[in-house]
Amino acid sequence: MPDEQMAGAGSVPVPPGGATGAPGASGGPQAPAVPPRPLDPIDRSIMRLLQADGRASIRSVAEQVHVSRANAYARINRLIDDGVIRGFTARVNHERAGQGASAYITLKIVQNSWRTVREKLRELPGAAHIALVSGDFDVLLLVHTPDNRTLRELVLTRLQAIPEVLSTRTLLVFEETDLLAPGPSTTPPTTLTEA
C-alpha cells in the first residue's frame, strides 16, 4: 500500500523517505548533525507505544500518554525530525513468510574494509541486520532464508566469496522471541485512522 494511503487522517505521520525511512539505512540522508533535543517521560512513552504498534492512531497515543492530540502529533513529528524515530515497519513472522531458517553469522574482515563489506552484505538475499561490533569478530549479520540448504549456499558461496571476509561462523537460530511484541497473543495491530 502506498505511503500516502497509509498516512490517513489521524494516523502517525510518515517520516521522510517513507514508512521505513531509516536515515542512512539505504544510503539516503543521514540523521541531522545537531544533537537531538532531550526526551522527557512523555516522549519515551510515545516511543514505547509506537514500538509496540507503529500503526496506532494519534488519538490512541494521545489518550495513553495523557496529552492532547495536537501535542502528541507535534511530539511525534519532532521525534521524526530529530531522527529519533527512523521509520515505521511491520514485524514479520519469518517462518510463516517462508523464511524458516535464520542464523546469526559472525565475520572477521580485513581491517578498514567495513564500508565495502557493509555494502556487499546489504545485497545478500535475506540479510536482516548488519552490525559492526567489538570482540572476537568484526561483523554480526542476521539472515533469514527459506531453508538450511539456501543458508549453506549463502554462507559458502556468497559470503566467503567476498574478498574482504577473512572467516565466518554461523549460529543457527532455533527459536526467537520478539521483545517489542505486545505479548504472546496474535492480536492484529490497531487501525491507522482515528476511531
Side-chain angles (χ1 to χ4, degrees):
M1 180 180 317
D3 295 336
E4 301 83 38
Q5 290 176 339
M6 292 186 68
S11 68
V12 173
V14 176
T20 59
S26 61
Q30 296 294 318
V34 295
R37 291 167 268 212
L39 302 179
D40 65 17
I42 294 173
D43 292 329
R44 293 188 189 286
S45 294
I46 289 171
M47 289 185 333
R48 275 191 299 277
L49 289 169
L50 293 176
Q51 283 177 305
D53 181 4
R55 297 177 66 194
S57 68
I58 295 291
R59 172 183 276 176
S60 170
V61 170
E63 287 173 357
Q64 291 182 63
V65 299
H66 309 291
V67 298
S68 70
R69 284 186 293 192
N71 187 315
Y73 191 82
R75 284 175 178 268
I76 292 168
N77 275 330
R78 180 178 51 83
L79 292 169
I80 291 169
D81 292 344
D82 285 353
V84 175
I85 293 178
R86 300 182 308 173
F88 301 92
T89 186
R91 288 189 306 272
V92 175
N93 179 324
H94 296 286
E95 193 170 346
R96 291 186 63 97
Q99 303 288 305
S102 296
Y104 286 95
I105 304 169
T106 65
L107 297 86
K108 288 187 181 180
I109 61 174
V110 173
Q111 190 172 0
N112 296 322
S113 66
W114 162 242
R115 286 177 182 83
T116 303
V117 170
R118 178 183 58 198
E119 294 312 309
K120 291 178 181 177
L121 295 177
R122 279 184 173 165
E123 297 171 6
L124 292 176
H129 183 84
I130 306 164
L132 179 66
V133 297
S134 64
D136 294 337
F137 48 88
D138 304 305
V139 177
L140 183 63
L141 170 66
L142 172 62
V143 296
H144 303 288
T145 62
D147 51 41
N148 284 341
R149 178 180 302 249
T150 308
L151 176 61
R152 178 181 179 275
E153 288 301 312
L154 181 103
V155 173
L156 297 180
T157 305
R158 301 286 300 269
L159 277 179
Q160 294 184 0
I162 299 172
E164 297 84 2
V165 173
L166 301 173
S167 66
T168 63
R169 175 173 281 166
T170 302
L171 308 165
L172 292 177
V173 174
F174 295 127
E175 186 175 316
E176 293 180 272
T177 300
D178 185 355
L179 299 179
L180 295 178
S185 76
T186 55
T187 306
T190 58
T191 60
L192 278 172
T193 57
E194 293 185 33

